[in-house]
């Protein structure tokens, strides 16, 4: 056990910088090394750690081991705080924009039944999950929001059609599904022919779009 | 051997017999006795001490002698009217029972009888001794704060960017379903669902119109998307029109319809 | 900047042990070294610090740099606060849980021959040394206790198998037991026959008990 190794142990265990005098005082009275001897051992330690990821640094109140600044990027990953969770309001707003786009803030408020703060919209804009795709021709020209390509990438979706469908109360069996499919195809055909009817059929189309998935 | 030679059992004291069972020449300051007994973790610990003090192995214990000594302590405690944990008295009764069995002729004793209280006592003493030793071993084992210190270093200055929250797809679906359920409860606010491909197309068309005055109706269609794609675009245009987000204009019959953002043209 | 030096920086900066998997996850997704590469770099670090006052130690939840126990005398001078001490009752309870887990409070009481106070269990739970791992299928559904990873970390252990061995084999040989049984039986008889002497002995015993303490 050398003076150098004892100082090494002390400096690593300490949670604050230790001065040469403080280090000296930690030795039993009759075995105390001189401050000069301590300084010399500290120099050896400094030299030893010089090529490593840490350094023995001298600060105002003494000596302390410190991880070198070059490694700050890695350390920041280590200490990155656990991400908080989005509030229900944020999730609901995002869901409305995803499933009902393009929508204005007013539309979102109508569906949620409560005001939507600008913070929520800002959060989603900053995350690059939504964007404004235009303005509604209404008083105040409110922005129309839609989801972005980045939103699709984040959720690993090719297109919005891949968003999970609502859980149906009861799953229709395959044959029924196939029948509906064919029907709806014809219906679609008709719809194109007579745009007027389309609006009425909308519910059915929705169901088909979902079972298509 | 004869039972006639046996003296009066100190057991009687445990049952509340007179205090004069305490020998006259014995004086232990009550405090000392209390401190002495407090050093033990219980009756097993005290018994173990009595056995070890005589350099005996547990399996060799002379039950009667140890019982005498154990009961001796119990007597003293009772005599001094000191509070004694119930476990000590239970053990005293148990020891007395073992001892009384030993006084009987050999007949009723079977060596490998599991119910034999003596074998059970030995088993318990052994187990306790093992664990008592284990506890001592654990106490001597190197541990943090006493023998081992973590190597700590200062950190270089760094900027901590909190990671944004993660969202799972099903969280989004759950939020949407909760909304629909809520809206259902307020009848007047029914949310009608369109196919998402249509809603997506609506956004795309709006975005496209954002930068231009107007777009000729056919230019919004991409033939390479096939019939399905054309249908989606068509439905999207109708829905946009219905929601008043775009206007469809036709200068005169049979000319090309133009699509523009509502209010722009 | 080598893998070894990055791991060195991370391990010195961390305030808790880091597993190879955790270390791996701290690298950007596309630059992650394999766990095998990390293990190898950790071996190099261990070897490098081997002659120093520190060691890279593997405990239950990962790797950590710590000052070797040899320096405890010096380090205890560094800290004004005395390390916490634990009563025999706490230590015996902890030992029983560690060596015989999972156990109920009743099991512990059976072995110790005394009631186990809730304070003891609470102390151990609060220190995060033990946890309830289920309930025994018995009247009252008593909780079953086991030790935690944190217990192993605190006691410088990688796994329960590293706990110091128990001093005695659990069960004695049956024949030995039977033989001794008879011996001691005879002794017992003798003892009972000369009960008179015993009372006299008692004084001695007590005296010894005192000087023993």
């Amino acid at each position: 056990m050398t003076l150098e190794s004892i100082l090494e142990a002390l400096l690593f265990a300490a949670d604050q910088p230790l001065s040469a005098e403080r280090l000296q005082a930690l030795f039993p009275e009759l075995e105390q090394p001189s401050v000069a001897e301590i300084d010399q051992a500290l120099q050896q330690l400094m030299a030893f750690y010089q090529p490593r990821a840490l350094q023995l640094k001298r600060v105002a109140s003494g000596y302390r081991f410190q991880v070198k600044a070059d490694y700050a990027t890695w350390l920041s990953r280590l200490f990155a705080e656990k991400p908080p969770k989005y509030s229900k309001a944020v999730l609901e707003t995002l869901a409305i924009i995803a499933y009902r786009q393009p929508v204005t803030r007013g539309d979102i408020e109508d569906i949620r039944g409560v005001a939507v703060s600008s913070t929520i919209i800002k959060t989603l804009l900053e995350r690059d999950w939504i964007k404004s795709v235009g303005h509604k021709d209404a008083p105040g020209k409110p922005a129309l929001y839609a989801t972005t390509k980045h939103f699709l990438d984040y959720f690993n979706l090719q297109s919005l059609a891949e968003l999970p469908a609502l859980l149906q109360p009861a799953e229709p069996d395959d044959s029924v599904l196939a029948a509906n499919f064919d029907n709806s195809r014809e219906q679609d055909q008709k719809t194109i022919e007579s745009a007027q009817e389309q609006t009425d059929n909308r519910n059915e189309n929705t169901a088909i779009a979902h079972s298509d998935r | 051997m004869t039972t006639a030679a046996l003296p009066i059992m100190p057991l009687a004291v445990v049952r509340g017999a007179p205090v004069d069972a305490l020998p006259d020449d014995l004086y232990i300051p009550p405090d000392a006795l209390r401190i002495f007994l407090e050093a033990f973790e219980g009756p097993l610990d005290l018994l173990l001490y009595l056995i070890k003090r005589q350099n005996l192995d547990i399996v060799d214990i002379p039950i009667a002698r140890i019982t005498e000594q154990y009961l001796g302590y119990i007597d003293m405690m009772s005599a001094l009217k000191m509070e004694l944990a119930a476990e000590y008295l239970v053990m005293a009764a148990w020891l007395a029972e073992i001892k009384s069995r030993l006084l009987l002729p050999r007949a009723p004793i079977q060596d490998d009888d599991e119910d034999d209280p003596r074998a059970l006592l030995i088993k318990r003493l052994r187990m306790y001794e093992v664990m008592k030793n284990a506890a001592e071993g654990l106490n001597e084992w190197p541990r943090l704060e006493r023998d081992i210190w973590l190597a700590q270093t200062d950190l270089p200055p760094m900027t901590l960017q909190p990671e944004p929250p993660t969202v799972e797809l099903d969280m989004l679906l759950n939020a949407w379903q909760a909304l629909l359920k809520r809206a259902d409860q307020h009848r007047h606010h029914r949310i009608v669902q369109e196919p998402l491909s249509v809603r997506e197309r609506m956004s795309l068309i709006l975005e496209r119109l954002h930068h231009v005055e107007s777009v000729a109706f056919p230019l919004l269609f991409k033939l390479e998307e096939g019939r399905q794609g054309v249908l989606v675009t068509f439905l999207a245009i109708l829905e946009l029109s219905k929601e008043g987000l775009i206007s469809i204009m036709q200068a005169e019959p049979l000319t090309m319809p133009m699509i523009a953002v509502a209010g722009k043209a």
Side-chain angles (χ1 to χ4, degrees), chain B residues 1-2 5-7 9-10 21-23 25-29 32-33 35-36 39-45 49-50 52-54 56-69 71-73 75-76 85 87-88 99 101-104 106 109-111 116 118-119 122-124 126-139 141-153 155:
Chain B
M1 71 190 158
T2 54
L6 286 169
M9 289 290 124
L22 198 69
D25 56 345
L26 177 71
Y27 178 73
I28 303 167
L33 184 62
I35 291 167
F36 171 68
F40 294 101
E41 285 303 309
L44 289 171
D45 200 17
Y49 165 81
L50 296 174
K52 293 284 151 184
R53 196 181 53 175
Q54 292 163 58
L56 294 168
D57 188 20
I58 290 173
V59 290
D60 288 331
I61 50 168
I63 285 285
R65 201 159 88 212
I66 295 301
T67 302
E68 287 296 338
Q69 292 172 1
L71 295 177
Y73 283 110
D75 289 355
M76 279 189 275
E87 294 99 350
Y88 283 93
K99 199 168 133 185
R101 273 222 204 183
L102 291 169
L103 295 178
L104 297 171
R106 283 199 165 237
I109 298 166
Q110 291 132 13
D111 277 356
D116 179 2
R118 192 175 182 284
I122 289 170
K123 206 175 151 194
R124 288 191 64 185
R126 291 183 69 101
M127 176 58 87
Y128 178 70
E129 188 186 25
V130 166
M131 284 305 148
K132 186 180 150 81
N133 287 336
E136 283 162 10
L138 199 59
N139 196 28
W141 198 255
R143 62 177 192 236
L144 286 185
E145 296 182 278
R146 191 190 66 185
D147 313 293
I148 291 163
W149 279 268
L150 297 184
Q152 308 181 72
T153 56
L155 301 176

